[in-house]
Amino acid sequence: MSSEPERYDMEAGQMSADEGELERTLGFLEAMTLGGGTMIGAGIFILPGIAAETAGPASSISYAIAGFVALLAALSLSELATGMPIAGGSYHYVNRALGGLFGAVVGWGMWTGLMFASAFYMIGFGQYLVEPIPFLDGRVFIVALGLVGLVLLLGVNYYGTEESSAFQNVTIGAETAIILVFVAVGVFFIDPGNLEPFAPFGPDGVVATTGIVFISFLGFEIIATVAGEIKNPSRIIPLSMILSVVLVTILYVLVMLVSTGVIPFESLGDSPIPVSDVAVVYLGPVGVVAIVFAAIIAAISSSNSSILAASRVIYAMGRDGVVTDWFNVSHPRFYTPHRAIAATGGVTALLILVGLEVETIIALLAEAASFSFLVAYSLVHISLVVFRRADPDGYDPSFALPRPLYPAVPVLGVVLSLVVVSQMATVVVVIGSGIVAFGLVWYATYTRGRVVNEGLLGEAIRGKPAEPFRVVVPVANPTTQRGLLRLAAASAHANEDRGTPELVAVNVTPVAHPSPFQNVEAERFEHQRELLESAHDIAAEMDVTLRTRTVVAPDVGAAILDVLEEEDADEAILGWDGSLERDGNVFGATVDPVVRNASCDVSLVNLTNETIGTPVALIAPGHNAPVVAHQAVEFATVDGAVPTLLNVQSPRGKSDSGAEERGRSVVADAAEAAGLDPNEYEVQVVVADDIGRAVVEATSQYDTVCVGLSGRTEGSQIPFGTVTKRVVHDVPSNVALIRGS
Amino acid sequence: MTHIGELRILVPVDVSGTESPPLDVIDHLGAVEIVLLGYFPVPDQAEPALLRDQYGPKATDRLDTVADEHGNPAEVLVFTHDHEATIDRIADEYDCDAVLTTGRSTAVDRVLVPLRGDVNLDRILAVVADLLLAGNETATLFHSVAEDADPTQGELLLMGAVDRLVEYGVDRDRLDWRLSEGGDPQTDIVELGAAYDLVVLGETDPSLRERIIGDVLSAIVSELDVPALIVRDVE
């Protein structure tokens, strides 16, 4: 049992079965094997041949560059994924940030990209089966075996599998172990002569090859597409995405160095199963069998995760209305998204069949998939910038790129993605652009008529979003809540220039051991319900938006602090019974931690009269003075009064004519710092020897007194002056103690 | 010896099917608190949210129907890829002492309590004591010793367990015990269980995956057609 006190936020629906919770089942290991397992596929078992042909031994550099481009994308995606961990991956972030047009482009791009990738994996699967078996030969067999493999996969996915992650962990582990042995032993068989010349086709060859091998890194994205199913997403998503990209990059670079080091790159380039041809040199027939086994497992698991990811992307697109919901109807018996799976499989099968006619199908599929995802990642980088600039409500990523990684990562990411795309074969650019154009046409003809989604681009360009000005009011007592809410509504309205007024009334029910059953009796719920209902009525009278929250927690003070934090409150108004220094607390056990630790402005209000009337603010020099002055102006709007800013001076010498002047300048400074116009307040200066008595006498004339508390709290002490103490004890008016943030 | 007090039992129910699960047993357990967990198994291929969109209301209705039939206990509805993980999480979150599986019993008169050894023994006995004190069933404690082992060890275990239940306040007349020698415990439990209304089992040993209902238990539970109460090892 965790010792940490748990809270049940009833607003979130934890206690009712109305909605249904969604279990997050993927842990760190599952996320790593999902990401790593998808990446380690045909990309490393097939492409080394093609890569060696176009870049020579320097193709290891191509893998390193592709890995770096993937890492940049993984960094940007990590921030976005922890900000909104739900299904859809890149598509979802781009759709939110840049709107439906780009959403459609990326959604279709990702879906087709995943199908290209899936076809690529299955042809690789065919190659690794056909080549080692002497009586099988030729492309027909490769294509046929690829199709058979695909049909089996589709069958399994159509009928559905339950909780197969343990199986996946084992197979991916075996596959990785085989590659590690291949690399570890192979290092000793490198002939340095084979690595000379290192880059026979120059830097152009290296960059062009990057576009082909980029497909080998597609898997990390899958972690983001299943973000809705990952446990502890704020930690595991960034960790597994970044770590899997880094580890896989290292692995690929080593495989490529070993391959080109053991066999001259020219003969490597001729092989459709290059890794197996390398393994036979130093691991013999056993090595070949192991590599063929690993390659087959890799192809199947990569293809399988691509189909899985494709159905998540289609689900997310259907959810947002970018495509029809028809795909998202799940099978009545198997509960699988069978239409999405069948559609994905059908197109993938056609792509495999193209292999009968096109000799270079494998490189073509690899590049086309890479193209789609590179375009998607450029838009992801732009989306990150948009999210940062627009800073919408609820976007609060737990993993945020620190400076100077932001903006370096998105800027470099866009530039490098475009550089790689620009070096791709013309036919690929044509196909890729065709898919982008299809996305545009789709948006114009289908999506636009159905959903309006402009994204956050406008807000990002305007810079300043329409933020709420949020005042949080903890309520517990039906007799005082009206007064507190009136003050809060006045404060929120008076700050309209800082944001749309919004009140949050929160009621905390204290329990010793929070559990959905114990201690919270029906009676208390009833009380809570009435309390919050009447809060809604009051808010309607005040013409202000009100949300209510109910929290069950062992410690009321801590719960209020949590709510202030979650709501990103601008101001908190707390009721208080006027008691001081009782039971070892300054104001009270609940209030003290809030006053001490809240990061927003806090007003402690002791309401003794119904009337707020004309407030007076006690102004003394100090950084809290402007907050106090402003609060008095806010409170004055309740009854449409003009508040008085009061300063009390002790005379210097017998007849000090300058005292009045000094007082006025203290008030004027505070008012100016608070941004108040001179016609928004009256000034009163009292000159007296006994400051305490003068303050009490002067403030007693008003209905409501605002006094500042020092914002600086050292340790557990709340600094507290004798004048404040006298006001609290001796003034019969309403008293508000104000602590600036 | 610590008394648990009021027992809280988690009852997981698959809400994806249309048949209502055989749960009559919970009406005969006496004054225990029930948490009804409706789980909807989601295949790997589907996003859980997709099935919630489509089947959320239907699943809620089914769960409500089950709850209505059995005294309106607390309900939780979860869409999950892995219902065993969900059972674990909810049992933990709601602080449940045991998990009840469904089975055909319509009354609870006879309870079988197989004991493996000292593992989790305190919890199992405390739960059995609470169960017996809340109702009026009789219990048979059961232990199986290996062929070459000394049977007196097993006798001691069973007699000690009976004594402890008596100390909790259970009437000795309601208790007996049985020792089996040399059989396969798993088969013994399944065969013997057929003659009882409820079988009380201890949670699987904490393994790598730490499931309440692990592989061994789920094999027994699926063979048994009477309900099983699986006591959690929460120490």
Side-chain angles (χ1 to χ4, degrees), chain A residues 488-540:
Chain A
S491 282
H493 275 306
N495 281 294
E496 254 162 6
D497 53 322
R498 290 171 61 190
T500 323
E502 189 183 308
L503 300 194
V504 178
V506 54
N507 177 267
V508 183
T509 306
V511 290
H513 300 286
S515 134
F517 300 102
Q518 293 161 349
N519 303 324
V520 188
E521 311 88 8
E523 207 175 293
R524 279 206 227 166
F525 277 129
E526 189 58 21
H527 166 71
Q528 194 168 51
R529 202 181 52 76
E530 279 171 15
L531 197 65
L532 295 177
E533 250 172 36
S534 90
H536 275 290
D537 295 344
I538 297 167

Side-chain angles (χ1 to χ4, degrees), chain A residues 184-199:
Chain A
V185 180
V187 168
F188 299 101
F189 290 85
I190 291 178
D191 174 1
N194 285 339
L195 297 176
E196 289 290 334
F198 192 64

Side-chain angles (χ1 to χ4, degrees), chain A residues 638-696:
Chain A
V638 172
D639 290 325
V642 176
T644 299
L645 305 186
L646 171 72
N647 180 264
V648 179
Q649 292 282 332
S650 56
R652 295 175 186 167
K654 279 249 181 305
S655 55
D656 181 8
S657 53
E660 171 90 15
E661 209 46 45
R662 286 202 305 279
R664 284 189 173 275
S665 90
V666 169
V667 170
D669 288 349
E672 199 190 326
L676 298 176
D677 276 343
N679 60 8
E680 283 184 280
Y681 58 89
E682 304 284 346
V683 184
Q684 185 185 355
V685 177
V686 174
V687 184
D689 285 317
D690 184 344
I691 290 191
R693 210 173 98 202
V695 167
V696 170

Side-chain angles (χ1 to χ4, degrees), chain B residues 108-167:
Chain B
V108 183
D109 297 322
R110 308 189 61 203
V111 182
L112 179 67
V113 187
L115 299 173
R116 263 178 308 174
D118 287 333
V119 186
N120 201 11
L121 186 64
D122 293 342
R123 293 287 299 178
I124 296 175
L125 291 178
V127 167
V128 170
D130 279 335
L131 202 60
L132 293 184
L133 292 174
N136 36 30
E137 49 287 77
T138 62
T140 303
L141 306 185
F142 171 77
H143 182 65
S144 171
V145 288
E147 203 153 352
D148 46 357
D150 179 8
T152 51
Q153 285 287 9
E155 278 182 39
L156 276 177
L157 173 80
L158 288 169
M159 280 151 65
V162 169
D163 287 344
R164 285 171 65 182
L165 288 176
V166 172
E167 272 174 53

